[in-house]
Amino acid sequence: MAMKFRLKALMPSWRKILRDEDVVDRLQPSDLGHLRKIFDRCSKAARIGVWECTLPDEKLTWTDVVYELFDLAPGTPLNREDILALYSKEKADELNRLRTEAIANKSGFTFDADVMTAKGNRRWIRITATVECDNDIPVRIFGLKQDITAEMLMLDEIRRRADFDYLTGLANRFQFQRCLDRLFDMNWNKATTALILIDLDGFKSVNDLMGHKTGDACLEEAARRLREITQDAELTARIGGDEFAVVYTGRNAHDVECAAASIVEALAWQVERVVTVSASVGLAFAKGAMSPTALYEEADNAMYRSKSKGGNQYGRPYEPAASSRAPGQIFQRPRA
């Protein structure tokens, strides 16, 4: 009977092969024994188990692999509420909603959820469910549970590589551009959006004199220092070889200038007492009908003006209405 339960649970996938569910009932005992071995080996290798819950008494039945997925000993008494407690509240609520709809519609669903197993291990499980009816009345819901932890970890790594710089762990240029586009598209108050661009001075000398391995270590150190002092920023990113960007929102001009000065101060150090590294920094404030591209260009121009003055300082574009400074003038550290 247990083997027939397992095979019938797999019928949605096997129907094209077996054509008729009654074929399971016509199998000889020797055939069932052979199929049981094949099923158990394949199930264990693929980390897929079969489950069912009878209705309306909510009695759960699992194959051994499902017990393993939840780090429970096979044969452990099952209570549906206890099992739901292993899911996060959000996932448990969503699972209950899908289950209720499937029973009402006499249909099924597929659902991915993370669980905290009985031994405290976080695991991702893919649940497939089908409702079986007798005289048009739902009598049980059954299906498969598969361990997809490795798949989800791989997807997380793909997302991480797509959005974050592989070397420094900071956001990459793609995420930086997406952040600016999002802020402008959502009609954010542009007057409170500021961009700081940073270019490392002396980095080429680090690579030329000390090698690319030391150069990579220099970039990692720069990122660490930058991350430490920009924790309140909307985004901190590495957008090029030795170029970084910081996006601030909801901050006034004085606060952003203080942040820029802190960045200049933090990014000045000696690499193995051979090369002095510092930072040329430029900042710009969004205004009027300015686009993300225009904001970037203003900050970029200010950064290169800083570099042309010898680096290790910051500046911003000239704003006639707000300042009497000459175009491209370098700002000194403002008083807090």
Side-chain angles (χ1 to χ4, degrees), residues 48-298:
I48 300 175
V50 180
W51 64 275
E52 76 163 350
C53 183
T54 54
L55 304 171
D57 60 359
E58 304 282 11
K59 180 182 177 182
L60 281 174
T61 304
W62 287 356
T63 56
D64 289 352
V65 171
V66 181
Y67 280 100
E68 291 176 11
L69 297 185
F70 286 83
D71 285 334
L72 292 170
T76 299
L78 300 173
N79 178 280
R80 187 167 181 273
E81 292 304 316
D82 293 340
I83 301 304
L84 280 175
L86 299 176
Y87 295 76
S88 66
K89 185 179 186 306
E90 178 185 358
K91 293 294 185 181
D93 290 345
E94 180 67 6
L95 179 57
N96 275 331
R97 184 188 68 78
L98 291 171
R99 184 179 187 269
T100 300
E101 288 182 359
I103 293 172
N105 298 327
K106 305 176 183 65
S107 58
F109 64 87
T110 299
F111 180 60
D112 295 345
D114 58 322
V115 299
M116 191 64 68
T117 72
K119 292 183 178 179
N121 296 314
R122 186 168 181 260
R123 189 164 287 150
W124 277 91
I125 294 174
R126 175 163 295 147
I127 304 167
T128 59
T130 300
V131 174
E132 181 180 326
C133 297
D134 186 5
N135 294 324
D136 208 35
I137 298 175
V139 294
R140 71 171 182 146
I141 183 168
F142 66 96
L144 306 174
K145 291 191 178 182
Q146 179 182 11
D147 184 354
I148 59 167
T149 305
E151 176 185 333
M152 297 303 290
L153 290 175
M154 181 181 68
L155 289 174
D156 284 345
E157 178 64 13
I158 291 172
R159 293 189 190 100
R160 189 189 70 79
R161 287 174 179 263
D163 288 340
F164 293 90
D165 176 58
Y166 74 96
L167 180 64
T168 64
L170 295 177
N172 61 16
R173 191 180 188 96
F174 175 78
Q175 191 179 169
F176 162 70
Q177 188 62 57
R178 188 171 59 189
C179 173
L180 282 187
D181 290 342
R182 174 177 55 83
L183 289 175
F184 279 72
D185 288 345
M186 66 188 291
N187 294 319
W188 185 269
N189 181 3
K190 294 180 183 178
T192 66
T193 300
L195 173 61
I196 297 176
L197 293 182
I198 304 124
D199 185 86
L200 293 183
D201 308 317
F203 178 72
K204 185 177 184 301
S205 296
V206 174
N207 271 338
D208 291 345
L209 298 176
M210 307 170 74
H212 289 285
K213 184 175 181 180
T214 303
D216 286 349
C218 177
L219 291 173
E220 291 179 284
E221 176 63 15
R224 184 193 67 78
R225 292 170 179 238
L226 197 55
R227 185 185 294 111
E228 196 172 86
I229 61 173
T230 60
Q231 295 181 21
D232 58 342
E234 181 77 18
L235 185 78
T236 302
R238 180 189 175 202
I239 59 173
D242 61 349
E243 293 189 25
F244 300 84
V246 183
V247 180
Y248 280 101
T249 58
R251 308 293 295 273
N252 60 41
H254 180 269
D255 289 342
V256 175
E257 289 185 29
C258 283
S262 296
I263 289 170
V264 170
E265 184 176 327
L267 295 184
W269 82 97
Q270 278 199 324
V271 178
E272 297 183 6
R273 299 184 179 180
V274 176
V275 178
T276 297
V277 172
S278 60
S280 294
V281 176
L283 63 151
F285 299 87
K287 53 187 178 293
M290 178 180 279
S291 67
T293 299
L295 176 65
Y296 181 90
E297 289 175 350
E298 280 206 2

